[in-house]
Amino acid sequence: MSGMETFLEMGGHAGYIWPAYGIVALVLAGLWLASRRFVRASNAELEDLNPRARRKRGSGDEA
Amino acid sequence: MDRMNRFFGDNLTCFRGGRFVFAGLSFAVEEGGALVLRGPNGSGKSSLLRMMAGLLPPSAGALAWDDGRIDEEPEAHHERFHYVGHADAVKPVLTVAENVEFWARLRTPEPDTRAALEAFGIDRLADVPGRFLSAGQKRRVNLARVLAAPVRLWLLDEPATALDADAVRAVEAAIAAHRARGGMVVASTHQALGLDGGDVLDLADFQGEDLDID
Amino acid sequence: MIHRFANPTRFLRLADRIQPWAAGLTVVLGGAGLYFALFSSPADYQQGETVRIMYIHVPSAWMALFCYTALAAACATALIWKHPLADLAARATAPIGACFTLLALATGSLWGKPMWGTWWVWDARLTSVLILFFLYLGYMALNGAFDDPERGQKASAILALVGFINVPIIKFSVDWWNTLHQPASVIKMGGPAIHPSMLTPLLLMAFAFKAYFVWVLLMRMRGEINAMKIRAVRLRQVHAAEATSADAGAATGEAR
Amino acid sequence: MTNFVTILRRDLRLSFRQGMDSLMVVMFFVIAVVLFPFGVGPEPNILARIAAGVIWVAALLASMLSLERLFQTDYEDGSLEILVLQPVSLEVVVAAKVTAHWLTTGLPLIAAAPLLAVLLNMDAGGFAILILALALGTPSLSLIGAIGAALILGARRGGVLLSLMVLPLYIPVLIFGVSAVDAALGGFAARPHLLILSGLLLATVALCPWVGAAALRQAMRS
């Protein structure tokens, strides 16, 4: 068997080692993505609120 | 709106909690007409409105449109009116627009939410979640759903509670426009609300005598 | 007494400086750790290749405990010194800690099957870590259960402090009860009892996870600060709408 | 049909915005099951024998726990009163709310069940049947529970009352749900038990929206 296959085979324990690393990668990447989306969404909402707030305050002064 | 132009009730009796709240009460409201319910608290104004909405079956007498009694086809009756009670049914997590849109979409596939919000001056709060709103603003959201889906008859139970002068004027304008379009209004209220043209029904005249228990 | 970092802008400037470093460290240390863990460290004479799971299981477990300690510290700061950012730090830490606890349980179970022949056993160490996972979820549920965020933060801070008793139990569970789970072999009085070639990937991964923690924590803190600002603007918006209509009413001289 | 979708979408949006509620139901389910090894002892083969029963009883209690709120929030804030007066048949309203309840509680329970089966040392052979039985059983739990939720509106101590009324009605679903899993674990055919579960499901789908609507009308009459 080529080096690659023996490596992937993990001495017969491939069924446990790769899922373990897979879960860690999945959960850490998932948490990072969720956090990024959380920040992006709140940034966008904040941007969206500010101009309107400024425009409203602007119109409020003129009236 | 279909051409039903008369909603009436004859010889209505309401017996609740061991006493006659009112008895022998008849009324009629025509296209473009208005009926103002007056009377002290507990004289049955709310009960009568709930009876008209079909929530509370009359102990005696009947309510009907031209084409028949309301209890025979409840769903047809429900198509024809909006009922605004004391509770404002605004969901804290939904935005103002989502709240109004939900109710309107149950009646028309394409509700005119924007216009309804503007009519009550809450279009600027369109995407503010309900939990931030004050009592007055929640009230306006509740009233906005009435405008978003036009119907023939409005049943309004103290519509002007918790509303400031500006909002009361908006309610008056909405009612006037509704009547101009041939709509009908039955409202229990202490303020004028521009219903001077309509007739007045004073619940005090129909107080039933108390049941003698012994 | 306003803390130096109390106003968010100063904190955000600091976060902007640290975050890229934390990100870089995570990637570098993580990459090196993976390389050592999978390629250049020997298989264990007893367990064979499954020992490689240790390089992610142990750091996850350490992080699970570390995050809860950080959470409890932030909650204590929030309760005692009323530090506004501490509440946000606690809210930001909890999900990260919960994820690491979940990873510790999952990788542990995947390591347990080949080594002990079963995915799960009701052993003192495993059970107390499972309870830690419930404490994290309980904290997050209680924190989000109130409309008013301050109420939620105060209530969940107390829960986090009460739950802290579980951390020493986890730490010493292997010593107090005869557990299937092996006792501590790195942080021990007599120094690490592991062969250096296995120690390097372990420590590399551990530091990579710490850097990852700082990176995601700063991100979530930024989100929490934004959420706080959004709430403030929404409230101002509502009061402004209320005020303009009231003025209009007053302006036209109509009594309300 | 569009009204069904409108109400369903609103209820799902409400529960997603308050994500914690469905998470808490699953947490109750997990914690209820985790208590058993402490009570009954960590002996693997004892746990394996009672695993199916423990998971089903915990699923029953978890889905019933969240039923009390099915109509309560709408009843308290006045939405239910308005909903009853819309040109929408009440049966559709009840069906939409039950579907939303099942999607936010039933599904997460089914997703968490295999994990708990591992904790209780259940043999992996039974997982598929466990999931299938729960998939057939939890909708009827929601449907039967909806009747109870409508009946207790406005009652004092509604939660306790709900459990007293609804749990006895859950017993058939529980019996056949557990026997299906035990049959599979014992190597026997689970089909007959699953067929009865499906029969129960069809019966509840036909009966419960109609009875729930009547109960709602009654509750609104006060």
Side-chain angles (χ1 to χ4, degrees), chain A residues 21 28 32 35 39 43 45, chain C residues 52 212 219-220 226 234:
Chain A
Y21 278 79
L28 292 188
W32 180 73
S35 305
V39 175
N43 274 340
E45 197 176 345
Chain C
R52 298 189 193 287
Y212 174 87
M219 240 192 225
R220 294 198 72 85
N226 284 347
R234 285 266 187 250

Side-chain angles (χ1 to χ4, degrees), chain B residues 25-190:
Chain B
L25 185 149
S26 297
F27 73 90
V29 59
E30 305 280 337
E31 188 181 312
L35 178 65
V36 180
L37 307 180
R38 292 255 189 276
N41 283 341
S43 59
K45 297 197 294 291
S46 290
S47 301
L48 178 57
L49 278 167
R50 290 173 71 87
M51 210 179 264
M52 291 178 184
L55 277 177
L56 183 65
S59 318
L63 286 144
W65 289 85
D66 287 356
D67 62 357
R69 291 164 57 108
I70 63 167
D71 44 14
E72 270 142 17
E73 291 161 65
E75 240 158 85
H77 177 48
H78 292 170
E79 297 251 337
R80 293 181 183 145
F81 72 91
H82 276 302
Y83 170 76
V84 174
H86 299 302
D88 287 331
V90 171
K91 290 291 175 191
V93 276
L94 294 181
T95 66
V96 165
E98 281 164 348
N99 270 298
V100 174
E101 188 101 5
F102 167 67
W103 293 112
R105 181 151 300 137
L106 286 178
R107 287 174 181 266
T108 54
E110 281 318 318
D112 188 356
T113 318
R114 182 55 55 185
L117 295 180
E118 263 147 27
F120 284 107
I122 44 174
D123 47 316
R124 272 201 300 267
L125 303 175
D127 50 17
V128 172
R131 65 176 179 277
F132 292 114
L133 301 179
S134 67
Q137 284 158 339
K138 284 191 174 125
R139 192 70 179 155
R140 292 195 223 186
V141 172
N142 194 10
L143 289 166
R145 75 179 164 84
V146 170
L147 280 183
V151 288
R152 293 204 51 63
L153 169 67
W154 287 3
L155 300 174
L156 309 174
D157 197 345
E158 310 278 357
T161 44
L163 288 188
D164 51 37
D166 180 53
V168 169
R169 262 200 311 288
V171 172
E172 277 166 17
I175 291 178
H178 175 67
R179 288 178 65 189
R181 283 196 304 273
M184 316 175 205
V185 176
V186 178
S188 81
T189 176
H190 300 299

